[in-house]
Amino acid sequence: MKYLNEILGIRYPFIQGGMANIATGEFAAAVSNAGAMGLIGTGGMNAEELLKNIRRCRELTDKPFGVNLMLLNPETDQMADIVVREHIPFVTTGAGMPGKYIGRWKENGILVAPVISSVLMAKRMVRDGADFIIAEGMESGGHIGEMTTMALVPQMVDGVDVPVIAAGGIADGRGVAAAFALGACGIQMGTCLLVSEECPVHENYKKALLKAGDNATCVTGRSVNADTRIIRNRMARKYLALEKGGAERMELEKYTLGSLRRAVFDGDVETGSLMAGQDCGELKSIRPLAEIFRDMAEGAESAARNLADQASAWG
Ligand SMILES: Cc1cc2nc3c(=O)[nH]c(=O)nc-3n(C[C@H](O)[C@H](O)[C@H](O)COP(=O)(O)O)c2cc1C
């Protein structure tokens, strides 16, 4: 088998990013039912909640789905065990290096795809047994690295001998085609799914995304190595001012405590943390997941045809 969708048993070569407090079992099932790989995100969950979400997802879909383990979660050891016991076929990881778990996951037939933002770290993950690398550029929403998707993906493709999935800043078919042109075998997306009908974030969060322009996001946490892309709002401005004033990590963490939950559940768009990628400026309407994926696939085909036409003119 050659293609990512065939390997994973899904229709499109699209992975839903694990999104803390958002990627529930219900949402993952909706994504899988719409033809992509749905993921339950462990950020903001405990081990028992993960188990419940896996069971819920199974009730709602007979399609494959996976789990994104947010490695800073204090219950990650138990969760790493749950994915084995529950026969989860596909695991992605975020916020760290999952090396110590990979051996056991591989013994149990799990396909492993760490989210990585540098070639050096990716090489280590491949030595540890990763099946794919998700190369995530700094255009992404949430926690980010330094490099852009455009520069990172081809270097990752050249640097590791496993297939590379591109993430960051991809919200339509043009982005999908670009990722494949750079050598990726599939894409992971987060931001554009936040405005799906099925996404459980508060309506105010969705409206803020639809209102956002190309320059709507900023990166907080640079001073303390916790770079996070969010929509610029009152909270973000205050955070950046605190950083500029030399605030310590503890003070900054205290300031943002619970802020993602405030945005996701309460719809607080002023003091909540509205994680979003730079692609939020492309979002125009709230649509069903099936339509988003279909448009991305069709848009990619038409972008690839345009590219072939252009190339024939200069070839
Ligand atoms: C609201 C939000 C929360 C996220 N939380 C996580 C997370 O818990 N774990 C993770 O690995 N990635 C997380 N991400 C990153 C996504 O999985 C994905 O890689 C990223 O969204 C891709 O870029 P895009 O936002 O431009 O589509 C998050 C992204 C967003 C927008």
Side-chain angles (χ1 to χ4, degrees):
M1 275 196 276
K2 197 168 151 207
Y3 299 112
L4 181 68
N5 54 317
E6 291 174 357
I7 296 167
L8 298 181
I10 54 180
R11 179 165 179 193
Y12 303 115
F14 301 160
I15 315 288
Q16 166 233 314
M19 293 186 279
N21 296 303
I22 298 168
T24 59
E26 282 182 17
F27 186 58
V31 169
S32 290
N33 285 334
M37 176 58 88
L39 294 182
I40 298 167
T42 64
M45 282 183 193
N46 61 32
E48 200 187 315
E49 285 163 342
L50 172 61
L51 203 51
K52 275 195 197 139
N53 276 278
I54 291 173
R55 305 257 154 92
R56 182 76 183 125
C57 195
R58 273 210 180 107
E59 280 166 18
L60 297 172
T61 187
D62 55 4
K63 304 269 191 303
F65 66 89
V67 169
N68 168 258
L69 285 170
M70 214 285 279
L71 298 169
L72 294 175
N73 188 312
E75 299 196 6
T76 295
D77 283 353
Q78 288 129 278
M79 293 173 168
D81 192 50
I82 288 174
V83 296
V84 172
R85 281 191 280 117
E86 290 294 313
H87 306 289
I88 298 298
F90 182 65
V91 168
T92 71
T93 60
M97 307 291 268
K100 68 171 177 168
Y101 305 116
I102 294 182
R104 172 136 189 267
W105 290 342
K106 301 295 316 149
E107 279 162 30
N108 287 278
I110 296 176
L111 292 170
V112 183
V115 178
I116 298 290
S117 54
S118 89
V119 177
L120 193 69
M121 285 197 293
K123 282 181 193 273
R124 219 169 100 192
M125 289 295 89
V126 172
R127 272 201 303 275
D128 287 340
D131 298 282
F132 304 95
I133 293 296
I134 301 178
E136 190 191 64
M138 54 88 84
E139 298 93 322
S140 297
H143 297 282
I144 54 168
E146 278 288 330
M147 290 185 69
T148 61
T149 306
M150 182 72 133
L152 178 63
V153 172
Q155 294 184 62
M156 196 67 95
V157 169
D158 291 346
V160 297
D161 56 6
V162 299
V164 172
I165 297 164
I170 302 168
D172 67 14
R174 294 168 298 182
V176 175
F180 276 82
L182 295 174
C185 69
I187 64 139
Q188 168 166 290
M189 64 198 112
T191 299
C192 66
L193 304 183
L194 293 172
V195 294
S196 63
E197 277 176 8
E198 295 89 338
C199 185
V201 299
H202 195 283
E203 285 304 307
N204 294 352
Y205 197 152
K206 294 186 186 183
K207 281 187 195 144
L209 288 163
L210 296 179
K211 224 174 80 189
D214 57 343
N215 259 319
T217 67
C218 62
V219 179
T220 57
R222 280 211 162 110
S223 62
V224 289
N225 253 341
D227 306 26
T228 307
R229 185 173 298 286
I230 60 176
I231 290 187
R232 196 179 285 107
N233 61 2
R234 178 146 49 95
M235 191 279 288
R237 276 189 282 270
K238 172 90 191 289
Y239 188 106
L240 291 171
L242 286 171
E243 279 194 279
K244 214 169 163 188
E248 302 278 328
R249 174 183 279 270
M250 285 292 279
E251 188 187 346
L252 294 168
E253 277 179 5
K254 218 164 83 192
Y255 183 63
T256 49
L257 198 70
S259 59
L260 179 59
R261 295 179 73 87
R262 274 204 302 281
V264 171
F265 300 121
D266 308 337
D268 180 346
V269 292
E270 280 306 319
T271 77
S273 168
L274 300 164
M275 289 186 180
Q278 290 182 326
D279 42 329
C280 62
E282 284 185 56
L283 308 175
K284 301 285 181 290
S285 59
I286 296 171
R287 300 186 298 156
L289 285 165
E291 195 179 309
I292 295 175
F293 296 141
R294 195 195 56 224
D295 277 6
M296 283 182 109
E298 288 176 5
E301 262 184 71
S302 115
R305 273 196 302 275
N306 284 342
L307 185 58
D309 278 354
Q310 300 273 351
S312 66
W314 73 63

